[in-house]
Amino acid sequence: MNFAIVGCGFIAKKHAAAIDKIDAAKLVAVCDKDPATMEFYKEEYDAEPYTELEQMLGEEDIDVACICTPSGFHAPIAVQIAEAKKHIIVEKPIAMTVEDTDKITNACKANNVKLAVVHPNRFRPVVQELRKIMDQGLLGKISHASCIVNWNRNQEYYDQAPWRGTKQHDGGVLMNQAIHNLDLLLWFMGTPDQVFSMEATRFRNIEAEDVSVGTIKFNSGALGTVEASTTVYPKNYEESITIFGEKGTVKIGGTNALNFEHLDIMDMSDNEIEDLKESIKADPWGTPGHQWIIEDMVNAINKNREPAVTGEDGKNVLKLVLSFYESANQNQPVQF
């Protein structure tokens, strides 16, 4: 499969490196308004550079396009790619509004192209193991869950580009950093019923929030708490998800949520628990998430199935972030 990348900023290099590791994939083209940003991809991967998207999409040999632009530009670019009959991998968030998300998904359906959203944390070994535990019902009935992302993004980070930290093109800590963990929370806990949130911009000179706290009531009756920030001094402090069930308690955490920090399950022996913990510690990152998603897209096209992380998945977590924003703005609970 021949791949193209649209937008050659920081995240594009992860896509390029992932494509390069997959035997069935090849990076053949890149597109950016700034020719200088494309030099690396031409030299490293022999990818053809284009400053005009329409011209690049006219190339028949391109099968899949990865959208790596600022989030506020995802929708018009995705629609243009879909209408050119190319499959799409889009970075998170899928878009900045539900309306734009629907434009993307409708264009993909109308043109019979596949759509995958980049939520790579799903493919971390510890997350995959927790999913198996949940699927087997080993935790029993769930009472509540906790999602924490306390990280550092200093002012220099936001000053790198004028779109960073804006509500139109980037969003704050919920939309940009914590959205991956919120995706996992939905993956584990199901559909929310009601949310309540407070947010603030405490330290960073940006339009959007740099700290947020919130609560969720899920359709199951279980509760959830969310704490997210980019204000932590001097560096990333914690990324974790904890799930409390009647038959077990599990926390995946650390500076990045890569290991079982707590694993106590009624129907697992001490030896089983220790073996599982040690197997994760031996290779906490596993296959990089971007590589998982790109290889999965190749397989989805070949087998004519949906990708592992669908447009609907991307829409659901976007709706959760937007519900938090709405609640904080109204200072009251809102229905999901």
Side-chain angles (χ1 to χ4, degrees):
M1 298 269 171
N2 289 332
F3 282 73
I5 293 174
V6 184
C8 292
F10 166 78
I11 202 66
K13 290 187 177 180
K14 285 194 174 186
H15 285 253
I19 292 165
D20 192 50
K21 290 179 181 177
I22 299 167
D23 291 338
K26 178 178 174 60
L27 180 64
V28 298
V30 289
C31 182
D32 199 285
K33 291 294 185 184
D34 182 0
T37 65
M38 296 187 283
E39 284 299 317
F40 168 80
Y41 303 92
K42 182 175 176 59
E43 293 173 6
E44 188 74 14
Y45 303 105
D46 197 29
E48 188 68 24
Y50 295 85
T51 56
E52 296 299 328
L53 181 59
E54 186 175 1
Q55 183 185 3
M56 187 187 80
L57 294 177
E59 300 296 333
E60 292 185 5
D61 64 337
I62 295 172
D63 301 297
V64 186
C66 300
I67 302 176
C68 300
T69 65
S71 306
F73 298 107
H74 286 178
I77 291 171
V79 169
Q80 192 173 348
I81 293 169
E83 290 175 347
K85 312 294 185 184
K86 317 293 187 187
H87 303 287
I88 298 169
I89 297 174
V90 59
E91 266 294 333
K92 59 76 190 168
I94 183 172
M96 297 299 290
T97 67
V98 172
E99 291 77 14
D100 275 352
T101 300
D102 289 340
K103 289 177 184 177
I104 295 172
T105 55
N106 290 339
C108 289
K109 289 174 185 174
N111 292 281
N112 195 30
V113 299
K114 300 190 184 300
L115 171 66
V117 185
V118 178
H119 284 292
N121 292 18
R122 289 193 186 196
F123 304 99
R124 291 176 178 177
V126 70
V127 172
Q128 291 282 308
E129 290 299 330
L130 178 51
R131 179 69 194 213
K132 291 177 188 175
I133 289 169
M134 299 289 290
D135 287 345
Q136 294 171 42
L138 293 178
L139 300 185
K141 186 177 180 180
I142 306 300
S143 65
H144 64 294
S146 166
C147 172
I148 297 174
V149 182
N150 278 320
W151 279 357
N152 172 277
R153 294 292 183 271
N154 59 25
Q155 192 60 46
E156 286 76 14
Y157 166 85
Y158 291 106
D159 290 343
Q160 289 177 68
W163 53 266
R164 288 191 182 272
T166 64
K167 291 182 178 180
Q168 183 178 5
H169 293 303
D170 191 30
V173 62
L174 286 179
M175 189 72 83
N176 200 349
Q177 284 80 28
I179 194 168
H180 288 305
N181 307 80
L182 295 176
D183 172 67
L184 296 185
L185 197 62
L186 295 182
W187 203 38
F188 294 139
M189 300 293 290
T191 305
D193 174 51
Q194 192 178 62
V195 306
F196 179 63
S197 178
M198 293 184 181
E199 65 184 48
T201 309
R202 296 291 294 162
F203 296 164
R204 307 302 175 227
N205 182 25
I206 58 174
E207 184 183 14
E209 82 287 352
D210 61 13
V211 60
S212 174
V213 295
T215 56
I216 304 171
K217 182 180 180 181
F218 292 93
N219 284 347
S220 65
L223 303 180
T225 62
V226 175
E227 178 184 343
S229 69
T230 54
T231 58
V232 175
Y233 178 84
K235 58 186 178 181
N236 290 1
Y237 175 72
E238 179 181 9
E239 177 191 0
S240 68
I241 289 182
T242 311
I243 301 178
F244 301 89
E246 60 182 337
K247 296 181 180 180
T249 302
V250 181
K251 179 179 182 180
I252 58 176
T255 307
N256 298 100
L258 292 174
N259 289 294
F260 286 114
E261 285 200 341
H262 188 93
L263 185 59
D264 201 346
I265 297 174
M266 183 186 297
D267 294 328
M268 288 181 69
S269 69
D270 290 345
N271 286 339
E272 287 176 312
I273 288 172
E274 285 307 310
D275 287 347
L276 183 54
K277 283 183 175 180
E278 290 305 313
S279 70
I280 298 299
K281 285 182 181 178
D283 186 18
W285 288 102
T287 300
H290 283 79
Q291 187 176 332
W292 263 103
I293 288 167
I294 290 166
E295 193 157 18
D296 177 74
M297 175 60 89
V298 173
N299 292 330
I301 295 167
N302 284 330
K303 297 176 182 178
N304 194 25
R305 61 162 172 82
E306 282 290 291
V309 187
T310 65
E312 194 65 25
D313 293 326
K315 180 178 177 178
N316 285 337
V317 69
L318 173 67
K319 283 173 63 180
L320 180 56
V321 172
L322 295 176
S323 294
F324 275 132
Y325 285 163
E326 183 183 353
S327 174
N329 185 50
Q330 297 181 6
N331 195 30
Q332 63 182 17
V334 300
Q335 295 300 120
F336 181 70

